[in-house]
Amino acid sequence: MGQRTQAAAGCLTAAVGAGAGLAVWAVDVRKRLWRFEAAPDWSVLYAELPLAVLGGVAAALTVWALLRRLRPRR
């Protein structure tokens, strides 16, 4: 696999991981946002959302790196 292909695969993997993190975060977001009766809980947006997206990217890139290491070289 060429260097450009590896770079493209890594970027694509990061984008897919970000999408997966966003999809996991979006489950029941309305319940978490309106957790309290008085006002919305904005930490759902400024704390949980970035952590979910970064966690998805980190998990996807970790899996990609492990698969690259375990795959035999030619």
Side-chain angles (χ1 to χ4, degrees), residues 2 13 19 22-24 29 32 34-35 44-45 49 56 62 66 73:
T13 303
L22 183 62
V24 168
V29 71
R32 290 193 318 268
W34 293 98
R35 194 175 297 163
V44 171
L45 295 177
L49 177 60
T62 301
L66 286 174
R73 306 237 177 194

Side-chain angles (χ1 to χ4, degrees), residues 9-62:
C11 289
L12 183 62
T13 303
V16 168
L22 183 62
V24 168
W25 174 81
V27 174
D28 290 334
V29 71
R30 190 169 293 218
K31 281 184 181 178
R32 290 193 318 268
L33 185 62
W34 293 98
R35 194 175 297 163
F36 303 108
E37 291 182 14
D41 183 13
W42 295 110
S43 69
V44 171
L45 295 177
Y46 69 79
E48 289 182 18
L49 177 60
L51 288 176
V53 172
L54 288 175
V57 170
L61 289 178
T62 301

